[in-house]
Amino acid sequence: MSENIIVRNAAAADRKDFRRLWKACFHDSDAFCNWFFENRFLPEYSVCLETEGEFASCMQAYPYSVWLRGREIPGAMLCGVSTDPNHRKKGYMGKIFPYEMEMLRQKGILVAPHTPAVLESYFSFGHFPVADASYLECKSVPAYPVSKNIHLLSAKADFERIYPIYLTFAKKYSGMILRSKADFLRKCDDYAADGGKCIAYVKNGDIKGYCFFYQTEECVDCVEAVATDGNYYTLLEGLYPYAEGRALTVKLPPGLLLSCPFGKMMRRQKGVMGLCNMQELLRLLDLNLPYGFSVKDSVIAENNGCFDFKGNPYNKASVFEIEAGRLLQVLAGYHTLGELKQTIKIYDMAAFEEIDRLLPKCSCYIIDEY
């Protein structure tokens, strides 16, 4: 007897089931889960799977603008991809994922970034890395003097003051979420709901940087550190006293070179991204390249075909053939075509090399988890 599986759009009444699976899979605190499902759960952007009447798998999305190659692109951050532990290894993700991506396309979403714990889990859906992050890792932070220029933030007015720093910072990196002020303040509330703290480096009355972090008896985990040029080191010095005697991890933009006498810097892939609507993305990027290419996409049928760099159907010979996810890595600026040459079928090498030259890499980064 075949299994009765239903994949459908979520409804407001599904909130408790979404929360139950999130808690079972990610083990976040009740305080955080309560806040998240009160403020972030959007059933109209979420999907779920039921089998034999049992709620077994789900995923969520939240719409944002994404900054790609200097353009503001309609996007949606994916999160909460989860399956009940009793229903794993049954291929349910393979059913809800294409459903979610097609639903987002229908809503006008062009790209879907996310920052999963295991990036490789999403490669089969064409969601490949598009961002790196640097991490400062310290096993134990020694005693460090407290700076008078470091201030602990807590009031809404404080967070409103750091928003312009965030927005300027976001436009330095391809792949960043462009949050409105209201949603930036909502993110500040998100951190606070789970005990997060925020400090700012203030010089001559001006805020030069801020960082959000979680502090436990064993460690300090800084999940967002943003500073104006030349001020990261001083900002981190303000964080060290909070980590005295503890381990410390600080997530930082890629390419940032900082020295720390009691820690080391590591660089890792952090975010992936999926392509919902290739044609519209190309139109908005407005790339002036007089060539055509072929795309293959196993998730979004409409992305398949031969197109020019304006997103129009192309009836002449293709310069190359590429997977949709690999193309998105290039359009985001994370890879060049040349770096992906082994994954691409090339039909006109001279034209391929010309396109490669005209699509340079960008600095790519994603702070946000959801």
Side-chain angles (χ1 to χ4, degrees):
M1 184 176 179
S2 62
E3 186 178 10
N4 182 23
I5 295 175
I6 298 174
V7 180
R8 61 173 175 82
N9 292 12
D14 297 315
R15 188 187 308 267
K16 288 184 178 180
D17 284 318
F18 271 81
R19 187 189 186 284
R20 174 181 58 80
L21 284 194
W22 184 292
K23 184 75 173 176
C25 295
F26 307 121
H27 310 294
D28 286 312
S29 69
D30 286 336
F32 169 79
C33 290
N34 290 341
W35 186 93
F36 185 91
F37 283 95
E38 181 64 31
N39 295 276
R40 289 278 187 213
F41 178 58
L42 292 181
E44 63 270 30
Y45 282 87
S46 305
V47 302
C48 55
L49 180 149
E50 294 176 323
T51 174
E52 306 299 336
E54 186 175 351
F55 195 95
S57 189
C58 63
M59 64 184 299
Q60 302 176 56
Y62 204 94
Y64 297 108
S65 291
V66 179
W67 191 247
L68 285 182
R69 283 193 182 270
R71 304 280 178 162
E72 194 168 339
I73 304 299
M77 178 73 82
L78 302 180
C79 68
V81 183
S82 49
T83 299
D84 188 298
N86 295 321
H87 289 282
R88 291 177 180 168
K89 300 188 182 300
K90 297 181 180 180
Y92 289 166
M93 187 192 299
K95 297 181 184 298
I96 64 172
F97 215 87
Y99 189 101
E100 174 80 38
M101 291 291 289
E102 182 60 38
M103 181 184 73
L104 293 177
R105 178 187 173 92
Q106 296 301 319
K107 290 181 177 293
I109 299 300
L110 309 189
V111 295
H114 49 128
T115 53
V118 182
L119 274 61
E120 293 83 356
S121 299
Y122 298 89
F123 291 179
S124 62
F125 301 108
H127 288 221
F128 293 114
V130 293
D132 291 347
S134 294
Y135 290 87
L136 172 63
E137 298 183 342
C138 312
K139 291 183 178 180
S140 181
V141 177
Y144 211 88
V146 176
S147 170
K148 66 179 181 180
N149 293 321
I150 298 297
H151 300 266
L152 189 65
L153 305 186
S154 59
K156 179 180 178 182
D158 292 334
F159 296 126
E160 288 180 341
R161 290 182 64 199
I162 66 175
Y163 173 68
I165 298 176
Y166 165 83
L167 193 59
T168 299
F169 171 84
K171 290 188 176 182
K172 293 172 60 177
Y173 298 96
S174 187
M176 280 285 293
I177 301 299
L178 291 184
R179 291 178 179 267
S180 66
K181 180 187 284 189
D183 203 61
F184 180 79
L185 295 175
R186 188 179 297 115
K187 180 170 70 165
C188 297
D189 289 341
D190 173 352
Y191 288 134
D194 207 24
K197 299 178 180 179
C198 182
I199 57 171
Y201 167 39
V202 183
K203 183 179 181 181
N204 298 326
D206 295 327
I207 295 180
K208 301 297 184 180
Y210 70 87
C211 59
F212 285 96
F213 62 96
Y214 297 97
Q215 182 184 41
T216 69
E217 292 183 1
E218 295 80 24
C219 67
V220 166
D221 184 13
C222 177
V223 295
E224 180 169 336
V226 172
T228 53
D229 292 342
N231 289 304
Y232 273 101
Y233 190 81
T234 306
L235 175 65
L236 294 184
E237 283 187 318
L239 185 63
Y240 295 155
Y242 289 91
E244 182 178 334
R246 301 174 172 90
L248 172 67
T249 300
V250 185
K251 180 184 175 185
L252 295 161
L256 190 64
L257 299 177
L258 293 174
S259 61
C260 175
F262 42 82
K264 60 182 180 179
M265 294 286 289
M266 309 271 295
R267 181 164 174 157
R268 305 189 189 103
Q269 290 180 328
K270 179 58 180 174
V272 300
M273 189 180 294
L275 185 56
C276 300
N277 191 326
M278 184 204 64
Q279 300 94 318
E280 186 64 14
L281 175 60
L282 287 170
R283 188 186 72 78
L284 290 184
L285 290 176
D286 194 27
L287 301 171
N288 188 25
L289 300 171
Y291 300 102
F293 58 92
S294 297
V295 178
K296 289 195 171 183
D297 192 334
S298 61
V299 176
I300 300 292
E302 294 90 342
N303 286 340
N304 288 279
C306 186
F307 305 92
D308 63 19
F309 279 91
K310 297 292 185 182
N312 301 312
Y314 192 76
N315 297 320
K316 300 178 183 178
S318 295
V319 174
F320 60 87
E321 181 181 294
I322 190 170
E323 293 179 55
R326 296 300 185 188
L327 176 66
L328 185 53
Q329 288 184 300
V330 175
L331 297 179
Y334 184 72
H335 278 310
T336 65
L337 282 170
E339 288 174 339
L340 297 175
K341 185 182 292 186
Q342 298 303 315
T343 70
I344 301 172
K345 292 182 180 179
I346 303 171
Y347 306 118
D348 183 336
M349 182 59 74
F352 179 86
E353 291 176 347
E354 173 69 4
I355 298 168
D356 185 34
R357 183 180 67 82
L358 295 172
L359 286 174
K361 294 179 76 166
C362 302
S363 294
C364 298
Y365 189 43
I366 297 176
I367 284 182
D368 301 280
E369 300 288 336
Y370 31 75

